Amino acid sequence: MTVTTQTVTVTVDGVAVEVPAGTLIIRVAEMLGTAIPRFCDHPLLDPVAACRACLVEIEGQGKPQPACAIPVTDGMVVKTQHTSEIAEQAQAGVMEFLLINHPLDCPVCDKGGECPLQNQAMANGRGETRFDGTKRTFPKPINVSAQVLLDRERCVSCARCTRFAEQIAGDQFIALLERGAKQQVGTSEDQPFDSYFSGNTIQICPVGALTSAKYRFRSRPFDLVSSPSACEHCASGCALRTDVRRSSVMRRLAWDAPEVNEEWNCDKGRFAFPYLSEARLTTPLVRNEEGNLVPASWPEALRVAAAGLKKTGAATGVLTGGRVTVEDAQAYASFARTVLGTNDVDFRARALSAEETAFLAHHVAGKPVDVTYGDLEVAPSVLLVDFDPEDESPIVFLRLRKAALSNRTKVFSVAPYMTAGLAKMKGTLIAAGPFDAAAAIAGAADHVKAAGSIILVGERAAMSPGALKAAADLAASTGARLAWVPRRAGDRGAVDAGLLPINGRDTGAMLAEAGKAVKGLLVGGVSATDVDGDLVAAINNAEFVVSLETRHTDVTEHADVVLPVAVVTEKAGTFRNWEGRDRAFNASIPTAGAISDAAVLEELAREFGVELGVSDFWSTAAKPEIVAGAHKPSVGSGQAVLATWKHLLDKGALQEGEPYLAATARVAVIRVSPATARSLNLVDGGQATVECCGKKATAPVIETAGMADGIVWIPSNSEGAALNLPSGCVVNVSGGVA
């Protein structure tokens, strides 16, 4: 079906142009290369005409009108400040009004040098001020949150921040308070600005009223060297801009990528970068005869590593984690299979299942881009399976919320309870615990029958027996498109590279067989807190262990050889996001001696006399059949089935060194349904303890209406609740009084 867009003809500064009906005057001017001053206008926010800086003359109108809020009509004649004295004087008057109380503190303002107010005051304002009174002042700064600071006297009431919070993120915790000259941005007295996306308000603030606690007073824009980059924290694939001063990252900004993150990113991607420079490994380490790790030269370290791996050979397990680039993943896969001759490879440093291995082999590996962000915005329905986008892929959340609020898309979620993110997407909960998810998915056929419907499966579905098979069967029977959304930036590339244990042992089996069938381990970027199992014990049991790492961890402490590798800012590479879209980046801080995992493995392969290539593993791999997992275990008195996932901001290693970000993390709570609370003698608001496998965590109880019964939910790795256990465990639950 051909869709015809109605067009109108409008004249701007004497130039006639045909544009789609409903286009705003300010956008038409942009098409013609005419810059109209503005502060409140933003192409991704609804117009509000708050600042009045964009006043233009419209033929037939009695007074100047805001170009940012008025759609063009057929035959409209518009004059901007370039051809109309009325428009020029109106804009200059607004600028003069805005500067009455705005402080002239540009030399110390973080926005100085990249400030729209500075630029437009010079271009469109008066040369001299007529104001000789006393400017208003406020105590400064005030904390909108631990991460966002506010200098109220700089605010020009453009409402960009409040509109972003309300329209894009759905976090309505900041607002314009008071009226007239007293108007200011503030927060609720009983609820802080709790948002995973607060940093975007800093970036879109046009005057430096909102600043970052981390970046404040640390640098000037003209001191920075900027480079495009890609976020390494999750599978969203956000485009970023990395700003560097004297070989240190000063800040990260969201970069324009309409096909992926538009102009937004989450606070983790924006602020979690101090780990890049802290406690870095710079020299290879080799364990000597006394059992101590000592510095070694690269040739010596490579020689010792190769000698040890030659002895363990095909009895070596390769664990890579999900943080590696596509190029690094390909190198690990090739090194494992062509140099070591082992199929014991796995990127999944987390809970996993054989069902997931087969699902990834059949429905993810080597598949072209099929489901995109753009598809999410136009899908009639999206079914989420064991996947909470706000915590696990924030840009997917923003896109789904945008589609849901426009009434284009209905969101359904198979999950233990109605999360805050699902509520913001106006979603519908299909309540199910880990062992009930498969049946819930099978019963969701009516929700995804419409053409163009999409099923998004999270990595947690690996711990819901039968869920992955049920999702695949549902897609096949309804025609819905299926996509897998992992948490880590390197996961999709690792699958495509063949870092799955087809005909080999998975992560759990390698740990269990360490020192027996698995003699050696090659570990890249995996720590003990990542793994569902005792990684340190496995390393101690293995005969020989090589670790490729950026800094000291519990793995390097026990390894036989430690080879330092480059962090993401020091190397070029590619992350493949959940869509299958490649997100290439270059080194932001070229560093002598910093080499990628792939380069280290190439040199190590040469010690074996082998030139490392890229193998097309999936062209010959025999893919296992997808078989549903175990049934629900028996649950005794005082017990429940654990449902869990990690909050976006938690105790993860890549967030270390950022106290302002850590202070905005969501607190740990224990969620149960009212019926489950009664059966476990838990009190709403009281404390409860969840315990299993020698691990326990205590947190406040929240009775959650609509939640699946027999389930207890607690975050996996948050402050005070670092259980690090997978969903599906049967846990003991004991409670106290409020």
Side-chain angles (χ1 to χ4, degrees), residues 303 341 422 483 536 706:
R303 178 180 54 78
L422 183 59
V536 172

Side-chain angles (χ1 to χ4, degrees), residues 22-215:
T23 305
L24 298 173
I25 293 173
I26 201 167
R27 302 286 170 257
V28 178
E30 289 170 349
M31 295 175 192
L32 296 174
T34 300
I36 297 176
R38 86 288 300 268
F39 297 108
C40 67
D41 175 69
H42 191 285
L44 300 181
L45 301 177
D46 293 342
V48 70
C51 71
R52 319 300 285 185
C54 65
L55 294 175
V56 294
E57 181 184 357
I58 302 176
E59 191 175 273
Q61 297 288 333
K63 60 181 181 181
Q65 300 293 322
C68 73
I70 297 180
V72 296
T73 58
D74 196 38
M76 179 182 282
V77 177
V78 178
K79 296 181 180 179
T80 72
Q81 72 275 15
H82 297 293
T83 59
S84 168
E85 185 177 351
I86 292 175
E88 182 182 17
Q89 290 181 352
Q91 293 175 8
V94 170
M95 186 65 67
E96 185 177 30
F97 174 77
L98 292 176
L99 293 176
I100 285 176
N101 279 314
H102 191 87
L104 299 179
D105 62 349
C106 304
V108 298
C109 176
D110 280 330
K111 203 74 171 182
E114 56 184 9
C115 175
L117 181 60
Q118 277 184 327
N119 297 338
Q120 291 169 191
M122 293 293 292
N124 304 97
R126 301 182 188 276
E128 297 178 357
T129 181
R130 295 182 290 171
F131 180 72
D132 58 5
T134 301
K135 293 177 181 284
R136 71 174 181 178
T137 59
F138 293 101
K140 57 183 288 185
I142 63 171
N143 286 80
V144 177
S145 71
Q147 185 67 69
V148 181
L149 304 180
L150 169 64
D151 293 305
R152 287 171 287 174
E153 69 275 11
R154 293 178 184 159
C155 180
V156 293
S157 300
C158 70
R160 278 190 175 191
C161 58
T162 58
R163 284 181 292 148
F164 171 83
E166 179 180 357
Q167 297 170 17
I168 306 299
D171 301 318
Q172 301 179 47
F173 302 126
I174 55 177
L176 289 173
L177 310 177
E178 307 290 349
R179 299 186 69 182
K182 294 183 178 180
Q183 191 173 67
Q184 56 186 280
V185 173
T187 61
S188 167
E189 292 183 0
D190 57 358
Q191 193 159 24
F193 181 25
D194 177 17
S195 177
Y196 284 155
F197 306 96
S198 66
N200 293 285
T201 65
I202 299 171
Q203 184 169 341
I204 65 175
C205 177
V207 293
L210 295 171
T211 58
S212 162
K214 179 70 175 179
Y215 178 71

Side-chain angles (χ1 to χ4, degrees), residues 382-450:
V382 174
L383 176 66
L384 309 178
V385 175
D386 282 334
F387 173 50
D388 184 62
E390 190 178 32
D391 269 325
E392 299 179 283
S393 189
I395 302 305
V396 172
F397 164 74
L398 292 185
R399 286 300 190 97
L400 284 177
R401 183 171 190 274
K402 178 181 177 183
L405 294 187
S406 66
N407 296 315
R408 290 191 297 265
T409 301
K410 293 182 179 179
V411 179
F412 302 88
S413 178
V414 176
Y417 71 97
M418 171 70 79
T419 65
L422 183 59
K424 293 171 192 174
M425 295 185 288
K426 299 194 301 185
T428 300
L429 173 68
I430 304 173
F435 293 96
D436 305 314
I441 295 164
D446 288 343
H447 299 317
V448 291
K449 280 183 177 179

Side-chain angles (χ1 to χ4, degrees), residues 7 92 98 103 188 209 231 260 286 439 532 608:
T7 61
L98 292 176
S188 167
C231 185
V260 179
V286 173
D532 179 30
F608 283 76

